[in-house]
Coordinates of all heavy atoms in Angstrom, one line a residue:
D53 N -12.2 -17.5 2.6 CA -11.3 -17.0 3.7 C -10.3 -18.0 4.1 O -10.6 -19.2 4.4 CB -12.1 -16.6 4.9 CG -13.0 -15.3 4.6 OD1 -12.7 -14.6 3.7 OD2 -14.0 -15.1 5.4
R54 N -9.0 -17.6 4.2 CA -7.9 -18.5 4.6 C -7.3 -17.9 5.8 O -6.8 -16.8 5.8 CB -6.9 -18.6 3.5 CG -7.3 -19.1 2.2 CD -6.9 -20.6 2.1 NE -7.3 -21.1 0.8 CZ -7.4 -22.4 0.6 NH1 -7.2 -23.2 1.6 NH2 -7.8 -22.8 -0.5
P55 N -7.3 -18.7 6.9 CA -6.6 -18.2 8.1 C -5.1 -18.2 8.0 O -4.6 -19.1 7.3 CB -7.1 -19.3 9.2 CG -7.4 -20.5 8.5 CD -7.9 -20.0 7.1
S56 N -4.5 -17.3 8.6 CA -3.0 -17.2 8.6 C -2.5 -18.1 9.7 O -3.0 -18.2 10.8 CB -2.5 -15.8 8.8 OG -3.0 -15.0 7.8
K57 N -1.4 -18.8 9.4 CA -0.8 -19.7 10.4 C -0.1 -18.9 11.5 O 0.8 -18.0 11.2 CB 0.2 -20.6 9.7 CG -0.5 -21.6 8.8 CD 0.5 -22.6 8.2 CE -0.3 -23.5 7.3 NZ 0.6 -24.3 6.5
G58 N -0.4 -19.1 12.7 CA 0.2 -18.4 13.8 C -0.1 -16.9 14.0 O 0.5 -16.2 14.7
A59 N -1.2 -16.5 13.3 CA -1.6 -15.1 13.4 C -3.1 -15.0 13.4 O -3.8 -15.8 12.8 CB -1.0 -14.2 12.3
R61 N -4.9 -12.9 11.9 CA -5.3 -12.3 10.7 C -5.6 -13.3 9.6 O -5.2 -14.5 9.7 CB -4.3 -11.3 10.1 CG -4.0 -10.3 11.2 CD -3.0 -9.2 10.8 NE -1.8 -9.7 10.2 CZ -0.9 -8.9 9.7 NH1 -1.1 -7.6 9.8 NH2 0.2 -9.3 9.2
Y62 N -6.3 -12.9 8.6 CA -6.6 -13.9 7.5 C -6.6 -13.2 6.2 O -6.5 -12.0 6.1 CB -8.0 -14.5 7.7 CG -9.2 -13.5 7.6 CD1 -9.9 -13.4 6.4 CD2 -9.5 -12.7 8.7 CE1 -10.9 -12.5 6.3 CE2 -10.6 -11.8 8.6 CZ -11.3 -11.7 7.4 OH -12.3 -10.8 7.3
A63 N -6.6 -14.0 5.1 CA -6.6 -13.5 3.7 C -7.9 -14.1 3.1 O -8.4 -15.1 3.5 CB -5.4 -13.9 3.0

Side-chain angles (χ1 to χ4, degrees):
D53 290 341
R54 296 263 184 199
S56 300
K57 292 180 181 174
R61 305 183 308 177
Y62 65 96

